[in-house]
């Protein structure tokens, strides 16, 4: 379209050659309407984008400021571009072009800094602005007086057609992202090996529902610095005053910029010791449970999100404390301290020291009521790594004389919910004789890999210990819903807008946390061993757990290993100096490191087995009988179980692509030193459940464009521990000497289907 100077107006000379009109016609008609549509779309995008970068002054302030700044930026952009277009005598619509250029640039940058690939961010921004422009045109047509009914009707039908085409193009991706898992019983029934029906667990949970409130009344109160700019409960309303601590040995002054100082009102030398307490009524002493959040937006406080756990635990006779470490969290405006992981763990130990001081002061509610010989630490996300580090303090804090005396307290249990597991000073926590539990969701879009399995592998027990370690992988759980303040989207806007909601509701997810956390503490801090049954077999908790798919792992000090696969021997036939392996019918047979969703090593190894349609077998033979569990009072000599961990990898095979419910058929044959054998199908004990597939975004093809492609793999390979009672082998062959087993053979397939698994931690257990 030609742009002509307004009649009657003179042209001014600019330089020697260029002639620039005094002013141009303003955008009009549908050009103006489309520009208004893009402007509205950009304003909405700016308002949503600021939600991912809060200032701490409240949502209303943030959105209002974003809208005003966006309007000013858009107006300035249009002015500058209009001047440039006049200077160049370019035949363009200045307002339409200015709004489009500004909006596309702003929205692309918002999406790019939201961890989206730059090119893809630009494409998404242009598509979004195109929709805004089209909406503006549609409104312009319907509002305009020069358009007839036919034109308006045609425009409306065209809009409906475009919307239908978009839904048709992307509806399949949206539908595919919705979980379709049934209840645990029906899933397992379909997956039962050897065609067997869904078997009951070998044991039942002979204990009350651990998620139910207990008999204790309790009170809540806080302790804090007494001077908090944002939360009165740690400031003027704090029930107890605490002493601030100097973290400058771990946080460099440059890591605490002035914006962080201005927001909090303190620097790294005056870190507050703030906590929310749920204290049972009664004399005690009560076990102490410290709970700590992970990395969330600093301005969106996280410590109140575990109230549901604090109330439950206090009602069951635990002194529960939610620790405030929000000042160590990430901020869009002031970043995050480089050594935040170390300081998170250090602060937990400082809280133990502060509570010890309270417990010695007769004027406080803690006085004489805390059992410091029974301390548990619970952490979520980065907090889940921090609690493991705090339970192994000598690796990082051996020279710190300001920490409480190690002999004055004992950390007996660590619970990590969706934890990270990064190296700090090139070291990771090693837990010995500390019980460990980790929970993780397959729909976790923040910590998308099961890093808790790494710490599980680094947890060990002396033979005399009563402790154990356990893991639970939950098909439809995400990251944030374990904290009531984090919501059902695991990323802040705008990235969070592209993530679908998890299959479990927040209440369902927290019900799982309540049940497992409470049962774990009952078993480890109160020695109520009946609750260990839940960790050995999740099916014993289906009466109080939400319907879903669960994958559990368990090991205690009474596990007697035959094969660990921890070392690369170079020859898969060499398992240990006393045990050899052999395989038949295997297309692949190798000792390899287990890999996570991002194809990174998990820090532990296993034997990978792949068989063809005819099936295959894998045998372990020892030079002496396998170590036998203690017979106890069982006169048959068949007390104990054969235990092993297995991860189903059949989904990696091209022949099984699309067969999401397919699972391998497995049986185990034991042979004693007299040559007698007995065979038990795994389906008689526990079915192999298909690995959960997770699509994180509501547009499946978006998986590889967010967060550097960390969502591109649908499956995280996870282990399940299987325990086959020796009594079943004895039942199959009464003459079998279960105390003198020399060979274990795993039979796979035989059903005309290919398959692949990884085995680990094979041995005998009580």
């Amino acid at each position: 379209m030609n742009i002509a100077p307004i009649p009657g107006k003179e042209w001014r000379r600019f330089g020697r050659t260029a002639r620039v009109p005094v002013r141009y016609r303003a955008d009009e008609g549908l050009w103006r309407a489309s520009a208004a549509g893009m402007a509205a779309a950009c304003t909405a995008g700016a308002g949503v984008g600021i939600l991912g970068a809060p200032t701490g002054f409240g949502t209303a302030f943030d959105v209002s400021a974003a809208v005003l700044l966006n309007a000013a930026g858009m107006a300035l952009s249009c002015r500058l571009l209009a001047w440039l277009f006049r200077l160049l005598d370019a035949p363009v619509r200045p307002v339409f072009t200015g709004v489009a250029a500004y909006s596309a640039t702003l929205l692309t940058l918002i999406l790019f800094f939201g961890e989206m690939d730059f090119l893809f961010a630009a494409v998404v921004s242009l598509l979004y602005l195109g929709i805004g422009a089209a909406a503006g045109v549609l409104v312009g047509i319907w509002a305009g007086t020069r358009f007839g009914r036919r034109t308006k009707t045609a425009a409306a039908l065209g809009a409906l057609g475009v919307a239908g085409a978009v839904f048709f193009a992307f509806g399949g991706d949206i539908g595919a992202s919705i979980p379709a898992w049934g209840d645990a019983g029906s899933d397992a029934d379909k997956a039962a090996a050897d065609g067997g029906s869904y078997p009951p667990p070998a044991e039942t949970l002979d204990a009350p529902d651990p998620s139910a409130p207990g008999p204790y009344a309790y009170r809540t109160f806080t302790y804090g610095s007494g001077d908090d700019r944002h939360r009165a409960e740690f400031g003027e309303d704090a029930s107890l005053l605490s002493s601030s601590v100097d973290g400058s040995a771990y946080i460099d002054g440059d890591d605490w910029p002035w914006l962080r100082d201005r927001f909090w009102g303190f620097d790294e030398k005056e870190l507050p010791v703030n906590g929310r307490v749920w204290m049972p009524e009664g004399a005690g002493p009560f076990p102490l449970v410290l709970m700590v959040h992970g990395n969330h937006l600093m301005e969106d406080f996280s410590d109140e999100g575990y109230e549901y756990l604090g109330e439950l635990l206090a009602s069951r006779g635990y002194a529960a404390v939610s620790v405030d470490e929000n000042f160590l969290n990430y901020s869009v405006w002031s970043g995050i301290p480089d050594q935040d992981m170390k300081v998170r763990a250090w602060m937990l130990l400082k809280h133990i020291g502060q509570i010890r001081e309270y417990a010695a002061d007769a004027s406080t509610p803690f006085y004489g009521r805390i059992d410091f010989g029974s301390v548990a630490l619970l952490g979520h996300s980065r907090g889940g790594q921090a609690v493991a580090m705090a339970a192994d303090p000598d690796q990082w804090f051996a020279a710190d004389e300001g920490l409480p005396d190690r002999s004055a307290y004992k950390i007996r249990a660590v619970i990590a919910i969706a934890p990270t597991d990064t190296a700090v000073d090139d070291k990771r926590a090693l837990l010995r004789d500390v019980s460990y539990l980790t929970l993780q969701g397959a729909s976790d879009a923040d910590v998308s890999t099961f890093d808790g399995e790494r710490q599980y592998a680094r947890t060990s027990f002396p033979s005399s210990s009563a402790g154990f370690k356990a893991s639970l992988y939950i098909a439809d759980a995400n990251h944030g819903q374990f904290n009531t303040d984090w919501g059902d989207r695991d990323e802040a806007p705008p990235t969070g807008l592209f993530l679908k909601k998890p299959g479990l509701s927040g209440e369902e997810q927290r019900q799982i946390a309540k049940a497992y956390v409470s049962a774990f503490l009952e078993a480890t801090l109160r020695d109520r061993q009946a609750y260990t049954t839940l960790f050995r077999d999740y099916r014993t908790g289906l009466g109080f757990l939400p319907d879903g798919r669960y994958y559990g792992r368990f090991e205690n000090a009474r596990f007697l290993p035959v094969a660990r696969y921890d070392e690369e021997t170079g020859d898969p036939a060499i398992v240990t100096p006393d045990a050899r392996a052999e395989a038949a019918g295997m297309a692949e047979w190798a000792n390899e490191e287990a890999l996570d969703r991002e194809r990174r090593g998990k820090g532990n190894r296993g034997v990978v087995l792949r068989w063809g349609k005819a099936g295959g077998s894998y045998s372990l033979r020892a030079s002496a009988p396998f170590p036998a569990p203690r017979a106890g009072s069982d006169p048959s000599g068949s007390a104990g179980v054969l235990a092993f961990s297995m991860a189903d990898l059949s989904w990696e095979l091209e022949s099984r692509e699309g067969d999401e419910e397919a699972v391998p058929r497995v049986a185990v044959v034991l042979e004693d030193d007299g040559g007698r054998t007995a065979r038990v199908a795994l389906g008689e004990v526990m079915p192999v459940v298909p690995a959960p597939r997770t699509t994180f975004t509501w547009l499946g093809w978006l998986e590889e464009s967010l967060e550097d492609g960390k969502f591109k793999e649908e499956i995280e390979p996870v282990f399940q521990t299987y325990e086959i009672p020796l009594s079943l082998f004895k039942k199959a062959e009464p003459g079998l000497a279960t105390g003198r087993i020399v060979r274990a053979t795993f039979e796979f397939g035989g059903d005309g289907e290919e398959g692949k698994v990884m085995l680990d931690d094979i041995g005998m257990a009580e």
Side-chain angles (χ1 to χ4, degrees), residues 410-442:
K410 182 175 179 56
I411 298 172
R412 296 177 56 192
V414 167
I415 302 170
I417 299 176
T420 58
D421 188 62
T422 58
V424 178
D425 297 342
D426 296 322
K427 294 178 287 189
R428 288 180 168 87
L430 300 172
L431 299 183
R432 180 170 172 79
D433 201 16
V434 176
S435 292
Y436 181 74
L437 170 66
T438 182
L439 309 177
Q440 178 81 28

Side-chain angles (χ1 to χ4, degrees), residues 342 345-346 348-349 352 377 384-399 403 406 409-414 421 424 427-434 436 455 458-460:
K342 190 182 296 185
W346 181 77
L348 287 168
L349 300 176
I352 292 176
L377 304 180
Q385 178 177 343
V387 292
M389 293 174 61
D392 183 23
D394 288 345
Q395 290 212 66
W396 294 277
F397 313 117
L403 293 176
R406 291 284 302 280
Y409 67 95
K410 182 175 179 56
I411 298 172
R412 296 177 56 192
V414 167
D421 188 62
V424 178
K427 294 178 287 189
R428 288 180 168 87
L430 300 172
L431 299 183
R432 180 170 172 79
D433 201 16
V434 176
Y436 181 74
Q455 184 61 62
R458 299 196 305 271
T459 300
S460 61

Side-chain angles (χ1 to χ4, degrees), residues 342-356:
K342 190 182 296 185
V343 185
R344 290 174 196 272
W346 181 77
M347 286 297 302
L348 287 168
L349 300 176
K350 285 294 190 180
H351 275 264
I352 292 176
Q354 179 64 74
I355 294 172
R356 286 189 65 237

Side-chain angles (χ1 to χ4, degrees), residues 486-621:
W486 286 7
D488 56 13
R489 308 282 179 163
D490 286 343
E491 295 287 346
T495 304
L497 297 178
F498 295 94
L499 299 178
K500 68 181 182 65
K501 293 184 178 181
L504 290 174
S505 69
E507 285 299 317
E508 290 174 320
Q509 195 164 318
R510 290 186 285 275
Q511 170 64 18
I512 298 170
K514 289 195 293 185
Y516 268 80
V517 167
S518 175
F520 185 71
L521 295 176
E522 293 288 328
T524 57
L525 300 190
R526 292 202 168 118
D527 198 30
R528 294 176 178 170
Q529 292 300 306
Y531 282 106
T532 61
T533 309
L534 177 65
F535 304 99
R536 303 182 84 136
D537 191 336
Y538 64 85
R539 293 173 297 166
T540 62
L542 293 182
F544 48 79
L545 294 175
D547 291 343
R549 287 184 174 179
Y550 301 93
Y551 308 78
R553 206 171 181 186
F554 175 87
E555 185 179 309
N556 61 20
R558 291 173 295 286
F559 175 74
L560 306 172
V562 175
R564 286 285 199 188
Y565 305 102
D566 291 336
E567 301 295 331
E568 172 56 77
T569 62
D571 182 353
I574 302 174
V575 180
T576 70
D578 300 319
R580 295 292 185 270
E582 59 185 32
M586 291 295 170
E588 183 179 351
W589 173 30
N591 181 322
E592 296 182 359
E593 185 173 12
L595 303 178
D596 63 19
R597 187 193 298 272
E598 297 183 24
R599 293 297 182 261
R600 300 175 304 169
K602 287 192 175 188
N604 68 292
R605 308 182 70 85
V607 59
V608 174
L609 304 167
R610 178 167 64 89
W611 60 92
K613 294 183 178 180
S617 65
Y618 173 78
S619 295
L620 285 171
R621 183 175 182 89

Side-chain angles (χ1 to χ4, degrees), residues 50-315:
I50 197 62
L51 297 179
T55 64
F57 294 107
T59 301
F61 172 87
D62 292 347
V63 173
S64 299
V67 169
L68 291 174
L69 290 173
N70 177 71
M74 188 177 296
L76 179 61
S77 174
C78 289
R79 286 277 187 178
L80 291 175
L81 288 175
W83 176 83
L84 179 62
F85 296 150
R86 286 197 297 269
L87 179 66
L88 299 176
D89 198 14
V92 295
R93 294 281 179 176
V95 175
F96 175 88
T97 308
V99 170
Y102 169 84
S103 300
T105 301
L106 178 65
L107 295 177
T108 298
L109 290 176
I110 288 175
L111 293 175
F112 175 69
F113 286 110
E115 303 297 330
M116 185 177 287
D117 176 78
F118 183 81
L119 179 60
F120 200 84
V123 171
V124 170
S125 297
L126 292 175
L127 287 174
Y128 173 66
L129 289 175
I131 293 172
V137 169
L138 183 62
V139 172
I141 291 174
W142 274 85
T145 58
R146 62 191 181 94
F147 296 103
R149 181 177 299 176
R150 289 184 178 180
T151 302
K152 295 180 178 182
T153 302
L157 292 175
L160 289 174
V162 171
V166 170
F167 181 82
F168 179 79
F170 302 127
D173 290 313
I174 297 173
S177 70
I178 300 174
W181 311 127
D183 61 43
S186 62
D187 286 334
D189 184 65
K190 288 184 289 185
D194 283 338
S197 62
Y198 184 70
E203 297 182 65
T204 58
L205 185 64
D206 186 22
D209 177 358
S211 65
Y216 288 87
Y218 58 88
R219 59 177 294 196
T220 63
F221 58 92
T222 60
Y223 60 84
S225 65
D227 183 17
D228 192 290
R229 290 186 173 182
H230 306 283
R231 297 159 299 177
E233 58 266 38
F234 298 137
E236 58 188 17
D237 293 342
S239 301
L240 299 173
L241 293 181
S242 60
S243 301
S244 297
V245 295
D246 184 354
S248 59
Y250 306 103
I251 301 177
D252 187 272
D254 295 336
D255 270 351
W256 199 278
W258 69 271
L259 277 175
R260 186 173 288 264
D261 195 335
R262 290 282 296 174
F263 182 83
W264 289 110
F266 56 81
D267 60 16
E268 73 281 1
K269 296 180 181 179
E270 296 180 312
L271 303 180
V273 179
N274 300 332
R276 300 178 185 272
V277 184
W278 294 267
M279 177 70 74
E281 298 289 357
F286 303 111
L288 175 65
V289 183
L290 296 185
M291 305 178 291
V292 64
H293 58 82
N295 186 37
H296 192 60
L297 290 172
M298 178 185 78
E299 297 85 358
D300 186 16
F301 311 130
S302 302
D303 55 287
E304 199 170 1
Y306 307 106
E307 181 179 23
Y308 72 101
L309 285 175
E311 292 178 342
L312 172 68
L313 297 180
S315 77

Side-chain angles (χ1 to χ4, degrees), residues 628-640 726-727 730 736-740:
R630 292 177 297 184
S633 60
D634 187 347
S636 70
S638 57
L726 295 180
S727 59
K730 192 79 170 177
L736 183 73
T738 56
R740 300 192 61 80

Side-chain angles (χ1 to χ4, degrees), residues 1 25-34 93 95 146:
M1 179 176 180
R25 291 189 181 96
D27 291 8
E28 58 188 16
L30 296 183
W31 289 101
R32 179 183 299 172
S34 63
R93 294 281 179 176
V95 175
R146 62 191 181 94

